Amino acid sequence: LDVEAETQNLALYLTSRDRSNNEPIEQRETWQYKDIKAEFHNFNWATDGWMKDSQNIPIMRVKDDARITIPYKPFSMEHGNIHNTGKTLEFEFATSGVFDYNTSLISCFSNGKGFNITAQQAFFSSSATKISAQYKENEHVRISFVINDSQENRLLYCYVNGIISGITQYSTNEIFY
């Protein structure tokens, strides 16, 4: 079964499919969707980078001091008012050999608003509402945060592997950006 990402209103999509550390260096350090280009920091391309996991699934391994910065601001007003448009944020990842369970794996957080994902917990916060979910390490996990627009009951959902793991209603004067 070949499953593709939904493309309507898609703002960012990065995948490790068909990637390898054997690519020429200028290609392996390029991870891009439209004009959004990830920035790689401190990769050694021997124990990290484009690899295959124990299930032979292509992954981007970020290990030790390696970091990736994706210059995308999902909550900026240039992407529309979330109250009017809604928004879905989805991440697929796995963790193993974790030493500090409080370390941020994936984060977009500022002034108490945004999301933070660690090895065992994901949470999303707006100006007054917080939703979270827990899961196990050593498994492939898909985390989704779905914000309904204000015309659809103002619900904020958190899914873990497609299963609703949290739901709450946000107020009419909630701030997300």
Side-chain angles (χ1 to χ4, degrees):
L1 182 63
D2 189 19
V3 179
E4 296 295 326
E6 174 63 44
T7 57
Q8 183 178 359
N9 298 321
L10 183 64
L12 176 63
Y13 179 75
L14 298 173
T15 180
S16 57
R17 184 187 313 175
D18 300 325
R19 299 301 304 263
S20 166
N21 277 354
N22 295 329
E23 299 171 7
I25 192 161
E26 60 276 355
Q27 286 180 331
R28 74 176 173 212
E29 291 184 352
T30 300
W31 202 17
Q32 176 170 347
Y33 182 79
K34 297 182 181 178
D35 62 342
I36 302 168
K37 185 176 180 182
E39 301 165 7
F40 293 83
H41 309 278
N42 300 319
F43 278 80
N44 63 33
W45 304 104
T47 60
D48 55 27
W50 306 109
M51 310 195 115
K52 292 196 176 184
D53 67 6
S54 60
Q55 299 172 12
N56 208 32
I57 297 171
I59 61 168
M60 165 42 72
R61 177 168 288 143
V62 182
K63 188 175 175 183
D64 299 326
D65 291 331
R67 300 286 181 269
I68 299 173
T69 302
I70 302 168
Y72 175 68
K73 298 177 181 177
F75 306 109
S76 72
M77 291 301 286
E78 71 185 64
H79 299 296
N81 185 333
I82 293 175
H83 290 278
N84 299 333
T85 63
K87 185 169 286 288
T88 298
L89 304 163
E90 191 167 79
F91 310 92
E92 187 172 351
F93 62 95
T95 59
S96 65
V98 177
F99 294 106
D100 182 356
Y101 290 96
N102 295 318
T103 297
S104 294
L105 302 177
I106 306 167
S107 176
C108 179
F109 209 74
S110 179
N111 298 321
K113 297 179 291 294
F115 61 85
N116 189 41
I117 298 173
T118 69
Q120 295 182 328
Q121 183 179 26
F123 73 86
F124 182 97
S125 296
S126 63
S127 59
T129 303
K130 182 176 179 179
I131 192 167
S132 65
Q134 293 187 321
Y135 40 86
K136 298 186 323 183
E137 71 170 303
N138 295 322
E139 291 183 359
H140 285 266
V141 179
R142 182 179 293 246
I143 300 294
S144 305
F145 298 111
V146 178
I147 307 163
N148 284 143
D149 65 54
S150 58
Q151 303 302 311
E152 291 190 43
N153 299 320
R154 301 181 326 275
L155 295 177
L156 173 59
Y157 299 87
C158 182
Y159 292 86
V160 177
N161 296 329
I163 300 169
I164 293 178
S165 300
I167 185 172
T168 189
Q169 187 174 42
Y170 64 88
S171 70
T172 56
N173 58 353
E174 203 86 16
I175 298 172
F176 294 99
Y177 56 89

